[in-house]
Amino acid sequence: MRSKEKAHDYRYFPEPDLLPVHISTAWRDEVRRTLPELPEAKAPFVAAYGITPYDAEVLTNTQALAGLFRSCRQSGAPGKAAANWMQTRTSSRL
């Protein structure tokens, strides 16, 4: 069997009915600026409080949980205790 290395090996070709899309740099920068904080950007913030990567992933999956965790931390709650409380009590009620 021969290996496939290029797009033509798979018989890919451009769709003739679709026009090319041109996106301006200014519009792309505007969209990036208005996006909410992504979970990947929140994970280091959450992981800095001594919680496991799994806990960090769970707490940053939604904006609401991430915001609640931030509020708990700003109120003085210990990081791991706040994470445990949020994943048991809060998540079960949500």
Side-chain angles (χ1 to χ4, degrees):
M1 296 182 75
R2 69 182 180 92
S3 63
K4 295 182 177 182
E5 298 176 2
K6 306 282 184 191
H8 69 270
D9 291 329
Y10 292 97
R11 301 184 190 268
Y12 292 147
F13 59 91
E15 174 62 48
D17 295 333
L18 296 177
L19 298 174
V21 177
H22 299 285
I23 299 172
S24 72
T25 305
W27 184 73
R28 187 181 63 223
D29 293 340
E30 173 70 22
V31 169
R32 281 186 181 154
R33 197 177 79 248
T34 58
L35 283 174
E37 187 178 26
L38 299 175
E40 293 84 23
K42 292 178 199 155
F45 167 80
V46 175
Y49 294 112
I51 60 176
T52 65
Y54 172 77
D55 292 342
E57 183 180 342
V58 169
L59 294 174
T60 58
N61 270 343
T62 65
Q63 290 282 81
L65 281 177
L68 183 59
F69 181 76
R70 231 178 229 163
S71 297
C72 289
R73 286 295 302 141
Q74 290 171 349
S75 298
K80 185 62 177 168
N84 288 343
W85 173 76
M86 288 182 62
Q87 290 182 60
T88 54
R89 306 274 184 188
T90 306
S91 293
S92 66
R93 292 189 185 257
L94 291 176

